Amino acid sequence: MRYGAQRASRAPSVTPAMTMVEKFRPILLRDVVGNEETISRLQVFAEQGNVPNLIIAGPPGTGKTTSILCLSRALLGASYKDAVLELNASNDRGIDVVRNKIKMFAQKKVSLPAGRHKVIILDEADSMTDGAQQALRRTMEIYSKTTRFALACNSSDKIIEPIQSRCAVLRYSKLSDAQLLERLQEVCMKESVSYTEDGMEAVIFTSQGDMRQALNNLQSTCQGFGHVNSENVFKVCDEPHPMLVKDMLQHCINSDIDAAYKIMSHLWSLGYAPQDIVGIIFRVAKTHDMPEFLKLEFIKEIGFTHMKIAEGVDSLLQMSGLLARLCHKTVSPGTSGSKN
Amino acid sequence: MATDQASSAKKGAYRSYLSREGPRALGSKEIPQGAENCLEGLTFVITGVLESMERSESQSLIERYGGKVTGSLSKRTSYVVVGRDAGESKMAKANQLGTKQLDEDGLLDLIRKLPGKTSKYEIEAAKQSQSKPSTAKFKSSPSLAKISQSKMSSAKPAAKKATDEGSSQSLMWVDKYKPQTLKQIIGQTGDKSNARKLMNWLQNWHRNISSGKKPAFNRFSDDGSGFKAALLSGPPGVGKTTTATLVCKEAGFSFVELNASDTRSKRKLKDEVSESLNNHTLVDFFGGQVTPSEGQRHCLVMDEVDGMAGNEDRGGVAELIQLIKNSKIPVICMCNDRNHQKIRSLANHCFDLRFQRPRVEQIKAAMMSVAFKEGLKISPPALQEVIVAANQDVRQIMHNLSMWTSTDRNLSYDQAKSDANKAKKDAHLGPFDVCRQVFAGGERMSVIDKTDLFFQDYSFGPLFVQENYPSCTPFAARGDMRMQMKLLSQAADSIAQGDLVDRQIRSTQNWGLLPTQAIFSTVLPGEAMKGSIGQMIQFPQWLGKNSTRNKNDRTLQELRTHMGLKNPADKHEINMDYLPLLRKALTQPLATRGAEGIGEIIQVMDEYSLTREDFDSLLEVATWPNSKNCMANVDSKVKAAFTRTYNKSVHLTPYATGSSVAKKKRGAGGGEELEEEEGGEVEEEEEEEEDITKDSMIKLKKKPAAKAAKATGKGKAGKSGSKGKLAKKK
């Protein structure tokens, strides 16, 4: 609970040298956002001790490292310094480090209360070589009386099977928009940042379920412009506004070429590169709500255009051609001519 | 005639099976909530298409309530669930056996009505841990266990358990419930089990070795006598290490264990391990129980031999083989994949014991008793899901159970299933599976899911799709040939477009186009041809063809350079215009006039500066598929005479021919030397490096002389490279 107090006192103080990501990194397990079920299980282990070896796998920015750190902090408290060995990809983790450093640490005697164990944290474990992972195998078992391992990785298929077999594998999924929103609002309040509703939405869209990205985008927007609205966010992140693109696609589905072209020329006049525009159309079309067969047809056309643009034919005419072809897909033969 | 008709009917049935539609009304019926385990003890066979659910769904529904689903009918089958287009043979058999038939609604009614019961596994587990806690895992034959335990129930083990409790609090489940005796290892209790074989081998080791028995090379009736080492191989989590340590313990051997966390280089092994192989333990001197004839009773356990990797362990495997050859004590090695390159040489010197994954039932019984002891409530079907998800890896099952039940001691079926799905070992989908999923993937795969399939392996996946799309029978065609052709052409179009994108990506390094390629080369063909795949997934032929093409291209290039002085054509022109004529000019005289034609041919070859090797490669390149081999009616004596004559005379070529000869020699010489030095397979890289230096040195020194003698020495050198090399050394 000491940590909680510390954090509460630290939060409002102005520490400009710190990124938001570090400043608002959760200290307690219950503060970790998302993946509630798994976190609650970890919480039980934090109270009872006797954690099994863990592999936490998931996309970036979902709180893998944070929850391992929180867990070991909760388990070990004051002796955190002595009883935790943290290695990430920036450390040398070749086979000899595993055989020397890790093994030595596993053999080290630290007096801990019953049910508590030393913890070896291997962050970004998917970047360890196969040889190093092999060398880890038996160490994990032999010293399991005193030492537990916690591995974090992006994809667990890079962890060799024998190691997976020795661990309980937990999977984190991307955070939902609501989860992101809640935390972002909290951060904005603590940092007294002014924001608008659509600004938050924009931050969430650009981050795609990645909390770290969201916080970074938020920070750069509010440091650059002082106010978080959707325009500023997309200026910082420099992406064509997906809402516009969405509208444009909807117009195409309704075969309303004029309205669609208006948006396209607006995007063009903002100075976005055609590559970026077509990229985001592709991305939006994949998730846009429309009949499956139409979606495939659309994506096909967008793909063709993307290729042509990549070949160097990246004029506004090309983009308009794309819109026309998309409209052509949905227009029924009978209504031809009425739009002109 | 009758049989003919029957077979054609069968064929028709099969065709309709291939083109039958998927379920028509998915999710239209409400799935009832039944009582726990209400279907336990019942066996089901599903045939035909159920309208409201997919096959996998109905299967999991039955399993959820404790029922069992099998593929074929037998006397023990309790119900046949019959859907649309049911299999004829199954129906006939069901009628014959008098099995009760249900339709879909009948099945749902059954679940609604039947009363729940307590699982036999739970009863079993409860009974067992009341009577004798320590035999937790000995349950491969439940009935037998019951008898033996009811006799043995006593207060003593219970008391022992109580004292254990305190210390085991901080152990992981895996350690807490680690087998203490051989009998407890799951799946290793039988007479023919690996554990038993290993035990026999170890106990008879000294007797067999001192009597000088040679290893018998018969895998089946083999007890391993004569081998100095044993190799246990199998997937992780099936109990290899446990078996080894327990066998040592029960056979009264002390052991030294080396695993992947120890450095095991050649030198280390030589210095440290070889010494310990001749050690006597203090027990030998002070224990006094061991009879001198038996010698020392300790052994070496080399765990994870496949973990001997990288620079640190260089030469480790070769040294290990040497150690085994000279060992005075038994050595037990363990690895996961016995077909691994490094292990294969070791495997020849070892008594081979392969571990299989235990059956689900075996694990289920053991896990039930663990669950009971931990006070967990978990239904057998839920446990089954957990076991299957972990791929029958006992260790992983224990870890997962302890994780998932940390908040709630009561693991329901749905909970277990969703957890198990998440925990499925992230096996990287192979290209074969990817391809199958692209075409036969379920109804609910979105565009994004299919794109993910492409990204499993974006250079290989499209090739598989391209190879296999014609063998698919699309549902959308509904047996209509015209429609099917249309779909085929759609798929082919989009594959071709995908290829265009691929070219764009690779030529301009524009990797941003990958998602576009995913759409064209995987998603669209998959969408068009969605249906059933009639045959095995084929490996893309393109790969083989492409490598042949590359090889031919290289040969042509070489021919062109050789012919360069006389002939300014590029390699395509040579291929199209010159080679057919040259081929005729080079073979016709031999075929018609035999040995007399040899001189003429050699003249032609000298004219175009072709060597003897060029002669062969020329014929190979110029032979098109389905054209006949023009050397076929040339007498082999004539061929030999041709080679002899060619080698006898000196041929002056306007180019240096040294490189290809040197290369050949190096290959042959290296292999020989290896055997001489190490007497067996050794890591090749090391040796080869040495060889290269040796070889290049020879070449440097002898260059002037070699060049002159080249033309004569070539044929010989090509055939018996090592001999030629030895000659040169002198």
Side-chain angles (χ1 to χ4, degrees), chain B residues 137 179 184-189 238 358-359 362-363 366-367 394:
Chain B
K137 293 192 179 174
Q184 292 173 10
I185 304 173
I186 300 175
Q188 298 294 338
T189 41
V238 297
R359 280 178 296 118
Q362 291 174 321
I363 303 176
M367 287 302 122
V394 181

Side-chain angles (χ1 to χ4, degrees), chain A residues 37 138 141 144 165 171, chain B residues 175 257 393 395 415 422:
Chain A
E37 209 172 318
R138 198 72 181 123
E141 274 181 344
S144 68
S165 148
R171 266 168 230 289
Chain B
D175 295 323
E257 186 192 319
D393 177 339
R395 181 166 41 200
Q415 182 68 35
K422 269 197 245 163

Side-chain angles (χ1 to χ4, degrees), chain A residues 269-312:
Chain A
S269 65
L270 286 175
Y272 289 115
Q275 293 257 14
D276 287 348
I277 298 179
V278 84
I280 205 144
I281 297 178
F282 194 84
R283 226 170 78 197
V284 171
K286 261 204 286 196
T287 52
H288 197 74
D289 187 28
M290 57 173 131
E292 194 70 18
F293 77 95
L294 194 61
K295 188 187 271 188
L296 284 174
E297 288 291 317
F298 267 43
I299 289 175
K300 206 159 107 182
E301 284 304 334
I302 298 167
F304 276 136
T305 315
H306 197 165
M307 218 170 77
K308 283 176 196 155
I309 288 173
E311 278 163 5

